[in-house]
Amino acid sequence: THVTDASNASRTMLYNLRTGDWDAELLEIFKVPRSVLPEVRGSSEVVGETTVFGKPIPIAGIAGDQQAALFGQCCTRPGMVKNTYGTGCFMLMQTGTRPKISKNNLLSTVAWKIGNKTEFALEGSIFIAGAVTQWLRDGLGIIRKSADIESLAGTVDDNGGVYLVPAFAGLGAPHWDQYARGTMVGLTRGSNAGHIARAALEGIAYQVMDVVKAMEKDAGQIG
């Protein structure tokens, strides 16, 4: 069975959020034959079965990872928001049954389709979150394991004026600057590893706040 669900299809840039189907104009632009694409089904319905465990077991759920997290954290009403922290950081706001076009550089996506009802979300992607901890461990060598960042940051009362923008792969939402690069400012002779660890954690928080503010601005058009 060659199928996907609406939440995954909506991330291909080949899917029309308003019609709920592959977009003929985009398929033509990108020279993608419709015949190679899967049938778009719901996120919660039986789409096939597997016998890998010796007897037929229905396959009854398909969802994109961040949309699944939005649902799993019970963000089922417009305006509800979840944030997932990993290597990067992904914030989604549930926007109801009609797709919303962000005025603040967020992405519109299908959240899920259940039965005949499709719900949508706005997403803000942060490229570097937990990866900044990996950099302190593997790049700078100031911690031995990722969990050590907490105790190291706790050795100082504040950031000492040190700020770190972890734009190691450019900046994601709401800036979308692929040419941005990481920056550390405010260093003095008194700066130490604790200040850098503190600045790294605060850098994650500042990026999240940028997306929160963008979503707050968009929230007025949701409902």
Side-chain angles (χ1 to χ4, degrees):
T1 303
H2 190 205
V3 299
T4 188
D5 86 307
S7 69
N8 282 292
S10 71
R11 308 320 300 266
T12 63
M13 295 183 68
L14 299 173
Y15 183 79
N16 189 310
L17 296 181
R18 299 191 184 280
T19 65
D21 198 1
W22 302 113
D23 188 282
E25 183 179 3
L26 291 173
L27 296 183
E28 175 63 26
I29 290 172
F30 292 109
K31 307 301 181 186
V32 176
R34 190 184 183 96
S35 60
V36 307
L37 295 172
E39 178 188 357
V40 180
R41 302 282 292 273
S43 306
S44 180
E45 64 177 274
V46 176
V47 296
E49 61 183 29
T50 177
T51 57
V52 69
F53 297 109
K55 60 181 180 179
I57 298 173
I59 299 171
I62 313 173
D65 56 352
Q66 298 308 324
Q67 294 95 324
L70 184 71
F71 188 86
Q73 296 186 47
C74 300
C75 296
T76 56
R77 298 193 306 274
M80 298 183 77
V81 177
K82 73 88 191 172
N83 198 33
T84 302
Y85 294 85
T87 302
C89 192
F90 303 91
M91 185 180 299
L92 269 70
M93 173 186 280
Q94 218 267 25
T95 61
T97 56
R98 290 186 296 176
K100 301 293 183 179
I101 304 303
S102 173
K103 297 181 180 178
N104 297 282
N105 296 326
L106 303 175
L107 304 179
S108 299
T109 183
V110 171
W112 48 75
K113 180 183 179 183
I114 300 176
N116 293 321
K117 184 178 181 181
T118 301
E119 298 190 63
F120 299 88
L122 290 175
E123 178 174 357
S125 301
I126 295 166
F127 297 153
I128 301 294
V132 72
T133 304
Q134 296 172 329
W135 177 68
L136 296 186
R137 182 193 66 197
D138 303 333
L140 295 188
I142 63 175
I143 54 176
R144 294 185 62 185
K145 58 183 185 296
S146 295
D148 292 340
I149 190 173
E150 181 179 6
S151 57
L152 181 57
T155 62
V156 295
D157 293 330
D158 53 41
N159 64 14
V162 178
Y163 294 90
L164 172 60
V165 181
F168 303 149
L171 286 173
H175 309 286
W176 299 115
D177 185 351
Q178 63 178 317
Y179 300 108
R181 290 296 177 263
T183 302
M184 192 185 308
V185 298
L187 294 171
T188 68
R189 182 64 180 82
S191 302
N192 60 38
H195 294 115
I196 295 173
R198 177 80 175 240
L201 292 176
E202 290 181 352
I204 298 171
Y206 286 132
Q207 291 179 101
V208 170
M209 181 55 69
D210 282 345
V211 177
V212 168
K213 289 181 176 178
M215 286 191 170
E216 287 177 342
K217 291 177 181 178
D218 278 332
Q221 61 174 328
I222 294 169

